[in-house]
Amino acid sequence: MWRYVTSLLLFLYGTTLFAQDNGGGIEQPVDSVAYQQTYGLRAGIDLASLIRTALDDEYTGFQIMADWRLTDKWYIAGELGTEELIRESNQIDFETTGSFIKAGADYNFYRNWLGMDNMIYVGFRAGAASFSQQLNRFDFFQDNNIFTADSRFPNEKFDGLSAFWGEIQTGIKVEVLNNLYLGINLQLKVLASEDVPDNFDNLYIPGFGRTYDTTSIGVGYSYGITYRIPFYKK
């Protein structure tokens, strides 16, 4: 039996060598199937704003996010939303209400396998906000706890305020179902200009987030679900 097995192996080995030696005269088949990428409008909502609205009694927000595929790697992208923050603390009570828009582009660094359509991207945005501030109460600063803080209740509202900033985003988008995506990103923002109310600083700007006296840099994040409307493939 082993003699027949050995003879079969020698025959197969010899056939393989013959095929390799004559490979130059055999025309190899060419795979003519090319995978086409889907192009269209991808739009959805920011789940992070909705979750914060449900958990934080002082915050109400809603944001729409969208992108349009230009090439295999480049996307036009943007966000549009509204925010309201009613903050009551030991030293100040204020209300911020307004809307914002962000527009820019994303570049996808991820090389997808055949049939996949995911993203690992870096993008930039130019952001603008239109909002109002209302100062309800503030306490004068004091460096001791012996005396009661001196409080003022101006109930003063400042309308028609605006702010502009630049933003860098990095994140991922994963296709969980056909044309349905989950995404998360981190945002680094630099405030370029803002309208400052008289005798009162902007403590929060819709779309930008919390502001600080010592720096113009802000941070943020987003977690959203989007659906792509497939217009065509190429």
Side-chain angles (χ1 to χ4, degrees), residues 125 127 164-168 187-193 208 215-219:
R125 301 286 190 275
F164 302 91
W165 66 92
E167 179 176 315
I168 296 176
Q187 306 159 8
L188 180 64
K189 314 175 186 185
V190 179
L191 189 62
S193 65
F208 182 86
T215 180
S216 60
I217 295 177
V219 294

Side-chain angles (χ1 to χ4, degrees), residues 123-188:
F124 65 90
R125 301 286 190 275
S130 176
F131 59 101
S132 65
Q133 302 274 18
Q134 179 164 331
L135 178 60
N136 297 321
R137 177 190 64 85
F138 69 91
D139 295 343
F140 287 102
F141 176 77
Q142 60 183 31
D143 56 1
N144 63 74
N145 297 322
I146 299 177
F147 302 101
T148 302
D150 187 9
S151 299
R152 292 289 186 271
F153 300 87
N155 292 321
E156 187 174 4
K157 189 173 183 179
F158 307 92
D159 292 316
L161 304 176
S162 62
F164 302 91
W165 66 92
E167 179 176 315
I168 296 176
Q169 292 188 8
T170 179
I172 61 174
K173 293 181 181 180
V174 179
E175 187 176 22
V176 293
L177 294 174
N178 188 29
N179 291 318
L180 185 66
Y181 298 82
L182 289 178
I184 186 171
N185 67 60
L186 300 176
Q187 306 159 8
L188 180 64

Side-chain angles (χ1 to χ4, degrees), residues 33-145:
V33 178
Y35 178 71
Q36 294 183 320
Q37 300 283 357
T38 302
Y39 286 71
L41 175 66
R42 180 165 49 189
I45 58 175
D46 175 34
L47 298 178
S49 299
L50 299 181
I51 293 174
R52 184 180 176 186
T53 299
L55 299 179
D56 188 348
D57 294 336
E58 297 181 331
Y59 175 85
T60 302
F62 179 77
Q63 179 177 278
I64 298 173
M65 48 199 357
D67 64 33
W68 176 275
R69 189 177 210 157
L70 286 179
T71 67
D72 181 39
K73 296 295 184 181
W74 281 102
Y75 296 73
I76 296 176
E79 294 83 31
L80 178 68
T82 63
E83 286 188 306
E84 179 184 34
L85 182 68
I86 303 175
R87 181 69 75 204
E88 297 181 2
S89 65
N90 293 331
Q91 293 184 330
I92 191 170
D93 296 346
F94 70 94
E95 300 178 22
T96 301
T97 304
S99 58
F100 64 91
I101 184 172
K102 297 189 286 184
D106 295 331
Y107 182 81
N108 183 19
F109 285 94
Y110 183 70
R111 185 179 180 128
N112 283 287
W113 293 359
L114 187 65
M116 295 176 59
D117 192 15
N118 302 323
M119 290 182 66
I120 299 177
Y121 69 93
V122 172
F124 65 90
R125 301 286 190 275
S130 176
F131 59 101
S132 65
Q133 302 274 18
Q134 179 164 331
L135 178 60
N136 297 321
R137 177 190 64 85
F138 69 91
D139 295 343
F140 287 102
F141 176 77
Q142 60 183 31
D143 56 1
N144 63 74
N145 297 322

